[in-house]
Amino acid sequence: MPERLTEMLMDTWTPLIILWITVLPSIYMAPMNQSQVLPSGSSTGLKRLNEEQRVLHRSKRGWVWNQMFVLEEFSGPEPILVGRLHTDLDPGSSKIKYILSGDGAGTIFVINDKTGDIHAMKRLDREEKAEYTLTAQAVDRDTNQPLEPPSEFIIKVQDINDNAPEFVEGPYHATVPEMSVVGTFVTKVTATDADDPVYGNSAKLVYSILEGQPYFSIEPHTAIIKTALPNMDREAKEEYFVVIQAKDMGGHMGGLSGTTTVTITLSDVNDNPPKFAQSLYHFSVMEDVALGEPIGRVKANDLDIGENAKSSYDIIEGDGMDVFEITTDAQTQDGVIRVRKPLDFESKKSYTLKVEAANIHIDPRFLSGGPFKDTATVKIVVEDADEPPVFSSPTYLLEVHENAALNSVLGQVTAHDPDVSSSPIRFSIDRHTDLERQFNINAEDGKITLATPLDRETSTWHNITIVATETRNHSQVSRVPVAIKVLDVNDNAPEFASEHEAFLCENGKPGQVIQIVSAVDKDDPKNGHYFLYSLLPEMVNNPNFTIKKNEDNTLSILAKHSGFSRQKQEVYLLPIVISDSGTPPMSSTGTLTIRVCGCSSDGTVQSCNAEAYVLPIGLSMGALIAILACIILLLVIVVLFVTLRRHKNEPLIIKDDEDVRENIIRYDDEGGGEEDTEAFDIATLQNPDGINGFLPRKDIKPDLQFMPRQGLAPVPNGVDVDEFINVRLHEADNDPTAPPYDSIQIYGYEGKGSAAGSLSSLESSTSDSDQNFDYLSEWGPRFKRLGELYSVGESDKET
């Protein structure tokens, strides 16, 4: 205790002692030895001392120090005396004037120009500015001439303990693994003190724990936090709140302090094994459950978290190890039990399994704590379900000959109800697989019969689906595919593979092969096709041709002699009988057409008709046809051109371009009558020249010669148009050369003042029922027929 008190007194009085040593000599010692307070650079004082002492060296100045000190934060009723400047040139007559310049001169520091005393006028803060550099000078008060060169010195602000430690980076967060040994590093904290670290103990810090013991400790000088208790368990307590204090003055009484908080979290390690919530689990499942479907879940709890809590599940014992499987749910860490194989209540009603849960990630440090696994027993009960019928075979294959009789039995399918309470089964055919209804099935016993004839050559295979349905529960249905193969029967005769036409050269040699023919048979014998070829009995002694069977089942046609001529006979027909080797054998007769042709010396066919025989040698038939086609094409173009010119230059009526028919071929317009000269020129109808004689028509070619009738005499321009039209109509009706329809004999003249009146009903003021069509009979046979039609229509309406 005495030592600690002495240290505290030293810390408190050290600044005052320094101030005393620094300031008082300049105040009290100056009169005793003026040579020690001379400003540096005083040449006058130096000369005077040389004369008195007769020694050739500079005299010691009165202020040999170059620093002054002032306590920070010092305040009082009077300004603080920092120090005094004095020169030995000052005789005390006040002729010397002291001047101060530099940092804070005149504001912070003020000098008495007569005495040289320097005072601090303000409260100073070392943390703001630690020292000030000033310049002092002595001048003559009257002339302001410098007596000595300027002298520079420093005033240092003396530190006091006025700043508390601070944790700039706090609050802190740290993590340490659980179950760590004592002394395990946790984290390090750092505090700062704004006081002078090199002067006194104001910035000397000591750290301690205010809260968080006895779990953690801190080194006083390094501020390293460590664990203080062993085996701290995260599962018991995961987070700790620690308060750290930093105190200056070396931690002694009177020092300032600051605190910060450190939140320490224990990280997880795998120190806990998984544990099933119960030792026995019971599950029930229907026997018709789908494969892969989950039937239950088990859970092994682990107090650890994250990767340390992950477990894998496995079935290690039991009578259903191959029937069930267990997997891990990655989200919930449950063990999910699923079905691997189909269940059958009738064969096995329950299973017992032993499942195990084991940690995936093991920490070797805690292996001594025991196995990190656990086991549980699982009992699974299979419940009965109404199952669909089961066929005796997954597929059926039936065979039938294509000539099988209708209603003959092709085969049979069987099925049964696997349930304990067996239900009768009914069979049917899915008609979507038998659209043509070629087969039937007995609903009771499943026998399949033939409903329509089969033809192997049309379809060799028939695939149908048989449906089995429980009579007690129609929703229980099963299906099975049935493949029906149609077996071949020799019911098709062989025939030529293609229509053959042989070519025989006139200059051919005897025994020359004219053509090789082959045959095909729609049937499919087991040992392949073998054909027999022969000529008809009446053609056996044919003088011109003979046949020869080849080893490849084909037939060669040979010429018996040479000297064939197109002019004598151009085409020969050779009937050939083809028979197969089936049971019973089938045969057919095919006729081979042999055409005599002209050939070149190397046997190349050039022409095969009699007309081409007289053609000059060297001109082929193809070239001749091309030349003839070009000539015909040119002639057609010339004829068309001439015809178009004639039709363009000549009118329909030969003698007069202004014939009535020329102008009224298409006249469907209604105009304003005779006064409307823009719609039609009435003068065209008055063609006296065209009336005189017969005008032959040019739009048709008459088959019979028609004698023209005596024409009417010319009429004056004022002839009645109605009478003119009637005459023309009468001639046209009695013209045998005219077609049934005469589009150019339609004279639809309408106009004001016309004797015929308007044929249009657009401006009619009466309805259809008020009109009388009897007058149309006076216009000719065709108009008469039209009037009868309309009259009949009106009578029908009235009826």
Side-chain angles (χ1 to χ4, degrees):
M1 183 65 182
E3 294 178 358
R4 182 174 179 83
L5 181 61
T6 304
E7 185 176 0
M8 293 175 60
L9 291 175
M10 289 296 293
D11 292 338
T12 304
W13 287 98
T14 298
L16 297 178
I17 295 173
I18 294 175
L19 178 63
W20 179 268
I21 296 174
T22 304
V23 176
L24 290 183
S26 62
I27 299 176
Y28 298 102
M29 295 177 63
M32 298 174 60
N33 187 0
Q34 293 183 358
S35 64
Q36 294 180 357
V37 296
L38 289 176
S40 61
S42 178
S43 58
T44 305
L46 183 60
K47 291 180 181 180
R48 187 178 298 172
L49 290 175
N50 289 338
E51 292 177 356
E52 293 177 356
Q53 297 179 5
R54 304 295 183 183
V55 179
L56 295 176
H57 60 80
R58 293 177 61 88
S59 64
K60 188 176 182 181
R61 300 192 176 199
W63 46 308
V64 295
W65 50 82
N66 58 2
Q67 289 187 356
M68 295 183 182
F69 297 89
V70 59
L71 282 176
E72 67 169 332
E73 305 293 345
F74 186 83
S75 61
E78 298 294 334
I80 305 171
L81 178 62
V82 178
R84 171 179 292 181
L85 298 179
H86 189 73
T87 177
D88 57 356
L89 298 179
D90 186 1
S93 59
S94 302
K95 290 187 178 181
I96 296 178
K97 180 180 178 181
Y98 295 97
I99 299 174
L100 187 65
S101 61
D103 293 341
T107 55
I108 300 176
F109 302 102
V110 176
I111 189 171
N112 189 322
D113 60 352
K114 295 180 180 179
T115 62
D117 295 338
I118 300 175
H119 291 83
M121 308 300 294
K122 295 182 179 180
R123 185 175 180 176
L124 302 180
D125 187 1
R126 189 199 67 82
E127 287 71 37
E128 238 179 68
K129 190 172 178 65
E131 60 182 30
Y132 297 85
T133 302
L134 296 110
T135 302
Q137 189 175 20
V139 298
D140 187 273
R141 183 177 296 273
D142 297 331
T143 62
N144 286 330
Q145 293 295 323
L147 301 178
E148 286 188 359
S151 178
E152 186 178 271
F153 63 96
I154 295 174
I155 298 178
K156 298 191 69 174
V157 181
Q158 192 70 41
D159 181 54
I160 64 173
N161 189 20
D162 59 343
N163 292 278
E166 293 182 358
F167 291 90
V168 180
E169 299 177 359
Y172 295 87
H173 294 271
T175 302
V176 63
E178 64 172 330
M179 310 302 290
S180 297
V181 298
V182 176
T184 301
F185 174 84
V186 179
T187 187
K188 180 180 180 180
V189 297
T190 303
T192 59
D193 196 320
D195 293 327
D196 192 353
V198 298
Y199 178 74
N201 295 325
S202 298
K204 185 178 181 181
L205 304 181
V206 174
Y207 299 89
S208 62
I209 293 181
L210 301 183
E211 292 183 24
Q213 295 175 336
Y215 305 104
F216 302 96
S217 63
I218 188 171
E219 294 184 0
H221 301 290
T222 61
I224 295 177
I225 301 174
K226 299 180 180 180
T227 58
L229 283 181
N231 302 326
M232 286 190 292
D233 191 1
R234 184 199 65 83
E235 289 72 32
K237 185 176 181 180
E238 183 177 6
E239 191 174 81
Y240 295 85
F241 190 76
V242 181
V243 179
I244 304 297
Q245 182 190 61
K247 190 173 183 181
D248 59 12
M249 300 298 294
H252 298 310
M253 185 180 298
L256 303 178
S257 64
T259 60
T260 187
T261 59
V262 182
T263 302
I264 301 175
T265 303
L266 298 182
S267 59
D268 185 62
V269 297
N270 191 13
D271 58 339
N272 293 282
K275 185 71 176 177
F276 280 104
Q278 56 194 71
S279 59
L280 179 63
Y281 292 86
H282 291 275
F283 300 107
S284 61
V285 58
M286 300 297 293
E287 63 174 331
D288 59 351
V289 65
L291 298 183
E293 193 73 16
I295 63 172
R297 289 172 175 258
V298 297
K299 179 66 178 290
N301 298 314
D302 195 323
L303 297 178
D304 298 321
I305 59 175
E307 296 292 326
N308 298 320
K310 290 185 177 181
S311 298
S312 62
Y313 296 86
D314 194 12
I315 300 175
I316 58 176
E317 292 181 13
D319 54 358
M321 294 182 63
D322 59 337
V323 180
F324 301 95
E325 65 179 358
I326 187 169
T327 57
T328 304
D329 189 330
Q331 300 296 328
T332 62
Q333 289 298 305
D334 292 344
V336 183
I337 302 176
R338 304 176 187 272
V339 180
R340 293 179 58 187
K341 292 184 178 181
L343 303 178
D344 187 10
F345 171 81
E346 288 71 26
S347 61
K348 190 172 179 60
K349 297 178 175 58
S350 65
Y351 296 89
T352 301
L353 306 175
K354 188 175 183 180
V355 297
E356 180 186 73
N359 278 151
I360 299 176
H361 304 282
I362 304 297
D363 193 335
R365 296 177 298 172
F366 306 103
L367 287 177
S368 60
F372 284 79
K373 61 180 67 176
D374 193 18
T375 59
T377 303
V378 178
K379 289 187 176 294
I380 301 173
V381 177
V382 181
E383 297 182 359
D384 189 23
D386 191 4
E387 299 176 85
V390 177
F391 283 95
S392 59
S393 175
T395 60
Y396 290 88
L397 175 62
L398 305 179
E399 293 182 346
V400 58
H401 286 88
E402 59 179 327
N403 61 350
L406 298 181
N407 298 323
S408 59
V409 178
L410 309 183
Q412 184 179 12
V413 296
T414 58
H416 70 281
D417 185 2
D419 298 322
V420 175
S421 57
S422 180
S423 172
I425 306 297
R426 292 187 63 84
F427 300 95
S428 61
I429 297 178
D430 186 353
R431 291 303 177 182
H432 292 90
T433 61
D434 184 25
L435 297 176
E436 298 179 359
R437 295 182 174 269
Q438 293 182 285
F439 307 96
N440 291 325
I441 189 170
N442 190 305
E444 303 298 334
D445 57 13
K447 291 182 178 180
I448 301 173
T449 58
L450 183 63
T452 61
L454 300 177
D455 185 8
R456 189 203 65 84
E457 288 70 38
T458 302
S459 180
T460 306
W461 287 91
H462 297 272
N463 297 303
I464 63 175
T465 299
I466 304 300
V467 181
T469 307
E470 290 185 10
T471 57
R472 296 178 185 175
N473 186 359
H474 291 174
S475 63
Q476 295 299 329
V477 176
S478 295
R479 298 171 180 268
V480 66
V482 177
I484 301 174
K485 182 179 181 181
V486 182
L487 302 178
D488 185 48
V489 174
N490 191 27
D491 57 349
N492 291 278
E495 57 187 10
F496 283 132
S498 61
E499 293 294 334
H500 292 287
E501 184 177 17
F503 298 95
L504 174 62
C505 292
E506 292 179 315
N507 56 357
K509 299 178 180 180
Q512 179 180 358
V513 177
I514 301 173
Q515 182 72 31
I516 297 177
V517 297
S518 60
V520 293
D521 194 333
K522 294 181 179 179
D523 295 322
D524 187 17
K526 296 182 179 179
N527 298 324
H529 291 290
Y530 181 79
F531 300 115
L532 299 176
Y533 301 92
S534 63
L535 297 176
L536 289 177
E538 60 270 19
M539 298 294 293
V540 173
N541 297 322
N542 189 321
N544 298 316
F545 307 101
T546 184
I547 60 175
K548 177 185 177 182
K549 175 69 182 298
N550 299 323
E551 294 181 359
D552 58 354
N553 218 16
T554 60
L555 181 68
S556 297
I557 312 298
L558 296 85
K560 283 188 174 182
H561 61 83
S562 60
F564 289 92
S565 175
R566 284 177 287 174
Q567 291 186 344
K568 291 182 180 180
Q569 186 172 351
E570 182 181 358
V571 177
Y572 295 88
L573 299 179
L574 183 63
I576 300 174
V577 180
I578 310 173
S579 302
D580 59 19
S581 56
T583 304
M586 303 290 291
S587 63
S588 66
T589 301
T591 301
L592 178 64
T593 301
I594 302 175
R595 188 178 299 277
V596 180
C597 302
C599 302
S600 62
S601 59
D602 57 355
T604 303
V605 177
Q606 292 182 339
S607 176
C608 294
N609 52 15
E611 290 77 4
Y613 184 76
V614 299
L615 293 176
I617 300 177
L619 184 61
S620 64
M621 180 60 66
L624 179 61
I625 292 174
I627 293 173
L628 291 177
C630 293
I631 294 173
I632 293 172
L633 181 61
L634 290 175
L635 290 175
V636 170
I637 294 174
V638 171
V639 171
L640 289 176
F641 179 76
V642 173
T643 304
L644 291 175
R645 289 293 301 271
R646 291 182 62 187
H647 279 280
K648 181 176 180 181
N649 296 331
E650 296 183 7
L652 293 177
I653 299 177
I654 297 175
K655 290 187 176 181
D656 195 346
D657 293 344
E658 296 182 356
D659 185 74
V660 174
R661 291 175 297 177
E662 174 69 19
N663 294 277
I664 62 174
I665 292 175
R666 290 290 181 185
Y667 184 67
D668 301 327
D669 184 36
E670 289 189 22
E674 286 80 356
E675 290 82 6
D676 188 358
T677 58
E678 295 182 359
F680 185 76
D681 187 5
I682 193 61
T684 307
L685 296 176
Q686 302 171 353
N687 186 10
D689 297 333
I691 302 175
N692 294 332
F694 170 71
L695 301 178
R697 294 176 55 183
K698 302 180 66 176
D699 57 342
I700 60 172
K701 180 180 181 181
D703 296 330
L704 301 175
Q705 184 63 33
F706 173 64
M707 296 302 294
R709 298 179 59 182
Q710 183 65 31
L712 298 177
V715 295
N717 292 339
V719 68
D720 188 359
V721 176
D722 186 14
E723 181 180 358
F724 173 78
I725 293 176
N726 288 332
V727 172
R728 284 288 184 252
L729 287 174
H730 179 73
E731 292 179 357
D733 292 338
N734 294 280
D735 187 1
T737 63
Y741 55 91
D742 193 353
S743 60
I744 64 172
Q745 297 297 333
I746 299 174
Y747 298 95
Y749 171 74
E750 288 185 342
K752 184 176 180 182
S754 173
S758 176
L759 297 179
S760 173
S761 62
L762 296 177
E763 297 178 357
S764 175
S765 61
T766 61
S767 64
D768 294 342
S769 61
D770 298 332
Q771 295 184 15
N772 187 3
F773 302 97
D774 294 337
Y775 66 91
L776 292 176
S777 59
E778 299 176 359
W779 289 15
R782 296 187 180 182
F783 289 92
K784 181 179 179 181
R785 177 59 180 163
L786 182 62
E788 292 175 356
L789 292 175
Y790 273 81
S791 297
V792 171
E794 295 300 327
S795 64
D796 292 341
K797 291 181 181 179
E798 294 174 0
T799 303

